Amino acid sequence: MNTLVALPTVAPGGMDASIDAHFGHCDIYTVVEIEDGKIKDVRTLPNVPHQQGGCMAPVNHLAQNDIKVLISGGMGMRPLMGFNQVGIDVYHGNGTATVAAAIRAFIEGSLPRFTQEFTCGGGQ
């Protein structure tokens, strides 16, 4: 089964890119396609304009691009609820230095689910 995983990253993205601290304000998303626990493809997806209070724009952008999992270091409560509503599973990737490390932790099942305790005030 294929799963598209998005990670907010610093441009130009890719497996060696650093994970951006806040999903909605990232430069770009690195999208990793995983099939049967192995990386099948890596590409990037530009972010959409995001303003304070407009957190649903990037949520809907990722949903429209068939993303099923987001690994993020931070977000507010509203976008977390939005991801839950559109069926995107969110994991907390804060502390993983690169996309490669975060994807490895995701495949190994060691990333925690992103819950309310990880949320911030948004834009931070």
Side-chain angles (χ1 to χ4, degrees), residues 29 45-48 56-67:
Y29 295 97
L45 177 67
N47 198 0
V48 294
M56 289 305 291
V59 171
N60 291 327
H61 176 59
L62 293 174
Q64 291 165 358
N65 282 279
D66 299 321
I67 301 301

Side-chain angles (χ1 to χ4, degrees), residues 42-84:
V42 179
R43 57 185 176 270
T44 57
L45 177 67
N47 198 0
V48 294
H50 174 259
Q51 298 176 354
Q52 191 75 16
C55 297
M56 289 305 291
V59 171
N60 291 327
H61 176 59
L62 293 174
Q64 291 165 358
N65 282 279
D66 299 321
I67 301 301
K68 299 300 179 202
V69 173
L70 176 76
I71 299 174
S72 179
M75 73 177 61
M77 188 63 189
R78 180 171 163 74
L80 179 60
M81 291 173 58
F83 282 119
N84 291 334

Side-chain angles (χ1 to χ4, degrees), residues 1 6 9 25 27 61 63 66 72 77 80-81 86 89 113:
M1 181 175 165
T9 53
H25 297 280
D27 294 332
H61 176 59
D66 299 321
S72 179
M77 188 63 189
L80 179 60
M81 291 173 58
V86 299
D89 293 327
R113 290 257 181 193

Side-chain angles (χ1 to χ4, degrees), residues 4-20:
L4 290 179
V5 181
L7 300 94
T9 53
V10 177
M15 294 301 282
D16 295 328
S18 299
I19 297 176
D20 198 299

